[in-house]
């Protein structure tokens, strides 16, 4: 219980600090949010979306799940995308994976993790779709990093498969999906240059030369 009291105390300190630095801080946030970006990331506690992008409350609309998976039949994720695009009019959807992702690692592991195995099946599908390229990498660490990147690639494509995003593109709206990956070890985000601003681009992402990812250091 002590640790929870600690959270509440820290919250009060934070609120006081925000108000001291900017007296209108909460007043401004009270009635609306105007985030320009939707962030789809991993639930991992080491990847706090706002913090690593240096963004304040109100600046980033966020959806997180284990291994940053986008499944068009996942009502939760699709509803977030819908709200972000149709109501908040975000211009950028960022799918950000991270190296050392426990979800991605568990997906390659034969040992059962219980219920989450069903969710990680989507990552396993990514692995199976790119098995040949993965098998060509000798180092276990490099193969794992590459799978984390491939997972971002496939999830960017999945965002482009949702009806919300397809409709927005069909109407010629300014909306771009990006694929990034975060390094827990150094705090840096790497742009994987996976970018789609149209259905055509989302489809051709699969033809990118993936060898360049492999050139990254272990
Ligand atoms: Co993760």
């Amino acid at each position: 219980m002590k640790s929870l009291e600690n959270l509440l105390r820290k919250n009060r300190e934070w609120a006081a600090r925000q108000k001291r630095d900017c007296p209108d801080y909460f007043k401004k946030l009270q009635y609306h949010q105007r985030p320009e970006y939707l962030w789809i990331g991993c639930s991992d506690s080491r990847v706090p979306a706002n913090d690593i992008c240096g963004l304040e409350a109100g600046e980033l609309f966020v959806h997180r799940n284990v291994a940053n998976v986008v499944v068009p039949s996942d009502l939760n994720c699709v509803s977030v995308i819908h709200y972000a695009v149709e109501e908040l009019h975000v211009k950028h959807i960022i799918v950000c994976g991270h190296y050392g992702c426990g979800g991605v690692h568990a997906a390659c592991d034969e040992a059962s993790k219980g219920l989450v195995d069903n969710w990680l099946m989507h990552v396993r599908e990514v692995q199976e779709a790119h098995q040949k390229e993965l098998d060509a990498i000798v180092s276990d660490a490099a193969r794992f990093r590459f799978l984390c990147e491939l997972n971002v690639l496939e999830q960017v494509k999945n965002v482009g498969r949702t009806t919300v995003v397809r409709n927005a593109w069909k109407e010629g709206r300014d909306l771009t999906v990006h694929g990034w990956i975060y390094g827990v070890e150094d705090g840096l985000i790497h742009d994987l240059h996976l970018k789609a601003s149209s259905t055509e681009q989302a489809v051709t992402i699969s033809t990118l030369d993936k060898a360049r990812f492999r050139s990254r250091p272990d």
Side-chain angles (χ1 to χ4, degrees):
M1 203 56 199
K2 232 179 181 175
S3 64
L4 288 187
E5 281 164 15
N6 192 34
L7 295 189
L8 296 172
R9 182 179 54 79
K10 279 178 178 284
N11 164 255
R12 285 191 296 272
E13 288 170 4
W14 171 79
R17 209 164 43 240
Q18 296 300 114
K19 224 173 163 180
R20 190 192 58 216
D21 294 347
C22 176
D24 282 345
Y25 188 81
F26 295 108
K27 211 171 164 191
K28 274 192 216 157
L29 288 171
Q30 202 170 354
Y31 300 108
H32 57 79
Q33 54 170 338
R34 291 238 173 85
E36 291 178 30
Y37 324 94
L38 165 61
W39 173 277
I40 300 176
C42 184
S43 299
D44 195 308
S45 63
R46 299 166 297 173
V47 194
N50 278 68
D51 290 351
I52 64 176
C53 292
L55 293 175
E56 291 290 339
E59 294 186 319
L60 191 65
F61 201 56
V62 174
H63 177 79
R64 290 168 70 179
N65 62 41
V66 174
N68 43 270
V69 174
V70 176
V71 187
S73 60
D74 172 13
L75 191 59
N76 183 355
C77 183
V78 173
S79 298
V80 170
I81 296 174
H82 183 269
Y83 191 80
V85 173
E86 295 297 330
E87 302 295 328
L88 299 173
H89 306 294
V90 300
K91 303 239 179 332
H92 302 279
I93 299 176
I94 300 154
V95 176
C96 188
H98 68 101
Y99 294 119
C101 181
V104 172
H105 195 265
C108 332
D109 195 351
E110 288 304 318
S112 173
K113 303 281 185 303
L115 187 67
V116 77
D117 289 350
N118 299 283
W119 180 250
L120 296 177
M121 185 183 69
H122 300 296
V123 181
R124 195 176 276 258
E125 283 169 1
V126 174
Q127 184 192 18
E128 286 169 4
H130 296 274
Q131 196 66 62
K132 264 192 178 169
E133 301 151 78
L134 288 162
D135 285 346
I137 304 172
V138 182
S139 152
D140 286 346
R143 199 181 314 111
F144 179 31
R145 287 171 73 86
F146 186 45
L147 182 56
C148 290
E149 292 169 349
L150 287 173
N151 186 45
V152 173
L153 178 147
E154 292 298 336
Q155 305 318 327
V156 165
K157 284 166 66 183
N158 283 343
V159 172
R161 287 187 177 111
T162 60
T163 49
V164 185
V165 171
R166 286 203 165 205
N167 286 343
W169 283 339
K170 211 152 107 188
E171 290 167 10
R173 280 149 65 184
D174 181 12
L175 178 66
T176 306
V177 187
H178 308 261
W180 292 357
I181 195 152
Y182 175 73
V184 176
E185 67 281 4
D186 60 9
L188 295 176
I189 296 171
H190 306 273
D191 185 352
L192 291 171
H193 302 290
L194 302 166
K195 219 163 102 176
S197 304
S198 66
T199 300
E200 293 72 34
Q201 284 177 4
V203 170
T204 53
I205 273 178
S206 59
T207 63
L208 277 178
D209 175 18
K210 298 180 195 79
R212 68 202 171 88
F213 296 127
R214 255 176 277 159
S215 65
R216 290 170 185 280
D218 279 8

